[in-house]
Amino acid sequence: MASFGLLREGTRAGPNRTFAMARSYAVRGPIYPDRMAKRPSRIDLLELDIDLRLADLWREAADISDWNLDVVAAFMRAAYGKGYCDALTEDNPGSLCEEHGYRIPSRSTEPAREL
């Protein structure tokens, strides 16, 4: 399970490994532009946009040699938290959805209840 964090089976635009490039890591390999569709779907473009937002996490993932459930869980929490913070700090709330042709979800009008 050493490469679990670098595989994204089931996605069309996801990386399957990182490549060293000028002291940094690329999320997508050097031949990716040749394989990408000439007219990418909106999910392809959304995946690319999200991958760019998570570039720091992808770089950290490349440095992990011993993947286990705790490490995977930590990366999942970090990605969720990053997305949450990005959504809260967007100049135009909902712009990521709008830019990619998705409906902007409505906010719940009922306040959250404590358990």
Side-chain angles (χ1 to χ4, degrees):
M1 191 156 150
S3 63
F4 180 79
L6 301 179
L7 293 176
R8 291 198 44 212
E9 295 175 12
T11 63
R12 292 181 299 276
N16 58 10
R17 70 176 72 122
T18 58
F19 296 89
M21 294 179 67
R23 293 190 196 171
S24 65
Y25 291 98
V27 173
R28 300 183 190 299
I31 63 169
Y32 180 78
D34 296 333
R35 294 187 338 196
M36 185 168 182
K38 297 299 178 210
R39 298 186 64 85
S41 70
R42 67 182 188 168
I43 191 72
D44 290 329
L45 295 173
L46 178 62
E47 288 176 351
L48 181 60
D49 199 359
I50 291 170
D51 283 347
L52 291 172
R53 291 172 181 235
L54 294 175
D56 292 337
L57 286 175
W58 282 117
R59 274 192 289 280
E60 284 186 46
D63 295 335
I64 304 294
S65 60
D66 186 26
W67 284 92
N68 59 49
L69 190 56
D70 291 332
V71 173
V72 171
F75 271 88
M76 290 175 72
R77 285 190 298 273
Y80 181 88
K82 173 115 176 70
Y84 192 84
C85 289
D86 284 355
L88 288 173
T89 58
E90 276 185 307
D91 290 337
N92 299 315
S95 61
L96 179 65
C97 292
E98 193 173 274
E99 288 170 7
H100 292 283
Y102 291 96
R103 181 182 60 80
I104 299 172
S106 60
R107 288 186 164 267
S108 174
T109 56
E110 184 178 321
R113 289 183 256 155
E114 291 187 32
L115 299 174

